[in-house]
Amino acid sequence: MTIEFACAACGKQFKVDAQMAGKRGKCKACGTVNTVPAAQNAPPALDAPSTRVQAPVATKAAAPARPSPVVPPPMPAKAPAARVPAPPPGVPVPPPLPKSATRPALAPVPPPLMAAASAQGCPACGAPMGPAAVFCTNCGFDKRTGARVSAAAPTTPAATPRRGLQTWQIVLITCLAALLIIGVGVGIFVRNVVRAINQSPSFASLNTSANAGPFVPAFPELPPPLKTANGTVEVYPMTIGGTGPGLPMHIKLYLPAGPRTPRSLPCVFIAPAGTRLLHGSAIDDDVNDPEHLPYARQGFAVVNYELSGDVPGDTHGGIPLARLAAPVSQFMAADGGLANAHAAIEFVLAKVPAVDPTRLYAAGHSSAAVVALDLAAGDHRIRAVAAYAPACDVVARWGGDLNTMNRLVPGASDLAARVSPIRHVDEFNCPIYLFHANDDTNVSMPDNRAFADALRSAGKSVQFVNVPRGGHYQSMIQQGIPGGIAFFSSQGANPVAPTSSPNSAVRTPGFPNVPSPRFHQRLPQGVETPEETAPGKSWEPDAAQLDKLAPETTYEGYAFRPPAGFVQLETKPADHCQVWQAKGVLGVQFSVRVEPRVERRRTRPFILTGNGASPPGVNQTLALMGASLDYGTIAGIPFTRATRELGNQKTVIYTAFEGDHYLLLSASAADEATSAMLESAVRTLHKQ
């Protein structure tokens, strides 16, 4: 007995043995899995409640949805089911399968759609379909749902296609890989830095015989010199080779032009400025440097020496501390620059016979002033030191950044304390010239004043010069260096200006009441000794200027008329002076100083006087500064007048001894009319 039935999908007719009833197999035409029905006298369970679950159709999220075909109107509650042909008579019918094993019943198909299928074929593409077919093998249209589906295994849930990586996932993976590579690179860099730091010596063990090897310099011979702008100074750029702390290093040697005899020159050593106090600096190639030439033009040999630990490309602005690790380590290995200074001194003593080894001095500005002070404290061959606006407490200057620097370079905190002049006051054994301007915005006045007070408390010799203005740099150029030169001269430097120097023939006028033998011992060679000469002309005020002067006032037994409209500045009794300044105008001022003669060596200098010593010492200072000198009398009192012009600024200073007083009158202006008015105010002075 056989069973005939049609494929539920494509309608293809099949004939199988009755024993196959209830078994499942694929349609050879469309691949649909069909269940062989029972004999005809056992109706299929098509009217049973449908338990078939429609497989979902997976779609890509990014693909636009395919428009669905038009859905026919709602179907009646129940449609007549298609009947399977009955098996031939006499064929035994097997018992029905349990409900769970039977194929799920197909969803009812609306009669109009079935009718259309029989008459027209596929309603979607028009391809022929069998009378009982519900699935088009040509386009995949399913008459039961009214939509196209995959032709493969409609009764099996479709597998979800595997999607590729999204763009954001690719970007994320790339970024993570880059971060991993950077992290590995940073780790290697930090490891190398730490390894280099651990291999550098700590500050506590620094000396010239350990860590960096023995000091074995290779001193060069002097090359052909370069000439400065006016030809009065010769410059020798050189490199000191060899091994040991601070080597190799570059230097510039300045020598006064002309013949030089052995041991005829004092020598001043100057390091480069502009560092952060814990690293070094290279020297520039400028042979006309205004921080060096004034000394050489007055008869000093000058050595400008390099400091180990330069920061290449440094613009002196903000910089990551990690970039300073290597320079700080190098500066530390050079003993805070003292090894460089030591090499420079040894070179001069070995190769420059014109330098007197008993007349060695140190000077510097800002950070170089700190190095100069450290050199003076550490090398007792230095006879005196001039420090212009030094940062005397390096630890306080660095603040909280010092802890970070110390983590990068172990020992940096100890180095900062070691190079802070205020922290080793007891080590100074030579006189100190300390200079500062009130309007300096880089180094504060309290810093320098505290250092000066600490030196005095320790019984050290210090001359603290405080000028009202000039800023951090210009005050050093215009007033600090001239004062430093005079200070060195008072400490036995005795420089001899080059023969062609404009100041070599300066005549210093004498004072009738000043004994000369004492002054002879202090006067530099090349400057004539004062003579007991008669007073010069009488200086009287200009009558045309008197209406510009205020009514007469008195101070310490002297009467005078200050400029009208000027404001009197506050001064301390210890200053022994009165100062008037033009309202709202810097640099225009008039002052009268009346100082007890017995205190002249202890008072602070004022304006351009340099060291506040006796009038001959003042005149010597002014001559060294390049001021023109003449002399005369005011109200019968003999005065020396020094006139100096810097740019458009003219300063006139009158100095004299009168009885038990030292008189100093000054006038500073930026134009001739104001200068004439101020000089007239000076000349109104007379004793009450």
Side-chain angles (χ1 to χ4, degrees):
M1 182 177 179
T2 61
I3 300 175
E4 294 184 2
F5 66 97
C7 175
C10 63
K12 181 176 179 64
Q13 294 292 326
F14 290 94
K15 182 184 293 186
V16 297
D17 192 279
Q19 295 179 353
M20 300 296 296
K23 297 188 179 295
R24 304 177 68 185
K26 286 186 179 181
C27 175
K28 295 181 180 181
C30 68
T32 301
V33 177
N34 293 273
T35 302
V36 178
Q40 187 174 2
N41 57 349
L46 294 180
D47 293 337
S50 176
T51 59
R52 184 183 182 202
V53 178
Q54 186 69 31
V57 180
T59 59
K60 292 184 179 180
R66 179 184 296 177
S68 302
V70 178
V71 180
M75 299 297 296
K78 188 174 183 180
R83 309 293 291 185
V84 178
V91 178
V93 179
L97 295 172
K99 183 180 290 188
S100 59
T102 60
R103 183 174 66 89
L106 299 176
V109 180
L113 188 59
M114 295 295 295
S118 300
Q120 302 177 6
C122 176
C125 65
M129 295 180 63
V134 296
F135 184 84
C136 177
T137 59
N138 184 54
C139 68
F141 183 81
D142 191 336
K143 293 189 291 183
R144 296 167 297 180
T145 61
R148 286 188 175 93
V149 295
S150 175
T155 58
T156 305
T160 302
R162 189 173 182 178
R163 294 183 292 179
L165 293 175
Q166 299 297 311
T167 302
W168 68 270
Q169 293 173 318
I170 296 174
V171 172
L172 178 60
I173 294 173
T174 303
C175 292
L176 291 175
L179 289 174
L180 179 61
I181 295 173
I182 293 173
V184 172
V186 171
I188 295 174
F189 172 77
V190 172
R191 183 197 64 183
N192 292 338
V193 169
V194 172
R195 181 177 297 171
I197 291 172
N198 291 335
Q199 291 174 352
S200 66
S202 64
F203 178 76
S205 62
L206 286 181
N207 56 68
T208 58
S209 62
N211 301 312
F215 179 71
V216 184
F219 295 140
E221 299 296 331
L222 269 61
L226 303 175
K227 292 287 187 178
T228 57
N230 61 4
T232 61
V233 177
E234 297 175 350
V235 186
Y236 301 82
M238 289 171 286
T239 300
I240 299 177
T243 60
L247 298 179
M249 57 176 278
H250 302 289
I251 65 169
K252 279 189 302 184
L253 172 66
Y254 297 76
L255 294 176
R260 295 179 290 269
T261 59
R263 298 196 171 198
S264 61
L265 301 178
C267 185
V268 58
F269 295 87
I270 306 174
T275 76
R276 296 170 183 82
L277 303 165
L278 292 184
H279 64 79
S281 175
I283 59 176
D284 58 40
D285 56 0
D286 183 10
V287 298
N288 294 297
D289 195 312
E291 296 184 38
H292 310 147
L293 281 184
Y295 301 95
R297 286 173 176 165
Q298 296 304 326
F300 287 83
V302 180
V303 179
N304 177 216
Y305 60 94
E306 179 180 5
L307 293 175
S308 298
D310 181 39
V311 182
D314 188 5
T315 60
H316 306 288
I319 190 171
L321 292 181
R323 187 180 168 193
L324 297 179
V328 170
S329 297
Q330 295 166 6
F331 189 65
M332 185 184 297
D335 202 2
L338 295 187
N340 303 109
H342 171 71
I345 292 174
E346 295 301 324
F347 165 77
V348 167
L349 298 183
K351 293 296 183 179
V352 189
V355 169
D356 185 351
T358 66
R359 291 184 288 160
L360 305 182
Y361 303 86
H365 169 246
S366 194
S367 63
V370 175
V371 177
L373 289 169
D374 291 338
L375 174 59
D379 194 324
H380 293 169
R381 292 175 294 182
I382 299 300
R383 189 164 178 173
V385 58
Y388 314 112
C392 298
D393 193 341
V394 179
V395 175
R397 177 90 172 185
W398 268 74
D401 288 337
L402 186 58
N403 293 330
T404 304
M405 194 72 250
N406 194 63
R407 287 193 293 270
L408 291 171
V409 184
S413 296
D414 293 335
L415 174 64
R418 172 67 182 85
V419 300
S420 296
I422 199 170
R423 295 174 183 257
H424 51 88
V425 170
D426 292 338
E427 299 176 20
F428 289 98
N429 292 302
C430 67
I432 299 170
Y433 179 80
L434 185 61
F435 177 89
H436 192 275
N438 286 344
D439 61 350
D440 189 334
T441 58
N442 190 317
V443 177
S444 68
M445 172 58 70
D447 177 286
N448 279 207
R449 190 177 298 280
F451 180 53
D453 292 343
L455 289 169
R456 293 191 186 102
S457 298
K460 306 300 180 180
S461 175
V462 58
Q463 183 177 321
F464 184 27
V465 178
N466 174 217
V467 297
R469 62 189 55 83
H472 186 61
Y473 183 79
Q474 287 301 325
S475 64
M476 175 265 301
I477 295 295
Q478 298 177 1
Q479 298 162 274
I481 291 179
I485 292 173
F487 178 75
F488 289 156
S489 298
S490 71
Q491 300 299 323
N494 297 326
V496 180
T499 304
S500 58
S501 170
N503 292 330
S504 60
V506 172
R507 175 182 174 84
T508 303
F511 293 82
N513 299 325
V514 179
S516 59
R518 182 178 180 183
F519 181 58
H520 288 171
Q521 299 173 3
R522 301 179 57 200
L523 192 66
Q525 300 179 28
V527 179
E528 296 184 12
T529 58
E531 300 175 358
E532 304 292 337
T533 58
K537 63 182 179 180
S538 176
W539 284 314
E540 301 293 337
D542 185 350
Q545 302 289 338
L546 294 179
D547 60 343
K548 300 178 183 178
L549 304 180
E552 191 173 85
T553 186
T554 61
Y555 178 65
E556 297 292 338
Y558 292 86
F560 55 91
R561 295 180 61 182
F566 277 45
V567 178
Q568 184 175 351
L569 302 181
E570 181 180 354
T571 57
K572 298 179 180 179
D575 293 334
H576 300 289
C577 68
Q578 288 188 354
V579 181
W580 285 262
Q581 182 176 322
K583 292 182 179 179
V585 181
L586 295 177
V588 179
Q589 69 178 32
F590 164 84
S591 69
V592 174
R593 184 184 187 109
V594 182
E595 178 185 341
R597 186 169 179 175
V598 295
E599 297 185 12
R600 65 180 183 273
R601 294 188 183 278
R602 299 199 303 269
T603 56
R604 289 184 296 164
F606 189 74
I607 309 300
L608 298 176
T609 61
N611 60 4
S614 63
V618 173
N619 295 336
Q620 171 190 339
T621 300
L622 295 171
L624 291 172
M625 290 167 49
S628 61
L629 304 179
D630 60 347
Y631 65 98
T633 62
I634 298 176
I637 304 172
F639 277 88
T640 294
R641 179 177 66 174
T643 304
R644 189 184 187 208
E645 296 186 14
L646 288 173
N648 63 349
Q649 190 78 10
K650 180 180 180 181
T651 301
V652 181
I653 299 175
Y654 294 78
T655 58
F657 270 148
E658 206 284 319
D660 294 332
H661 294 99
Y662 164 42
L663 305 180
L664 186 148
L665 317 175
S666 72
S668 182
D671 60 89
E672 286 295 334
T674 305
S675 180
M677 182 266 291
L678 293 179
E679 281 209 68
S680 293
V682 169
R683 296 175 183 181
T684 63
L685 181 92
H686 61 90
K687 194 168 184 179
Q688 286 182 303

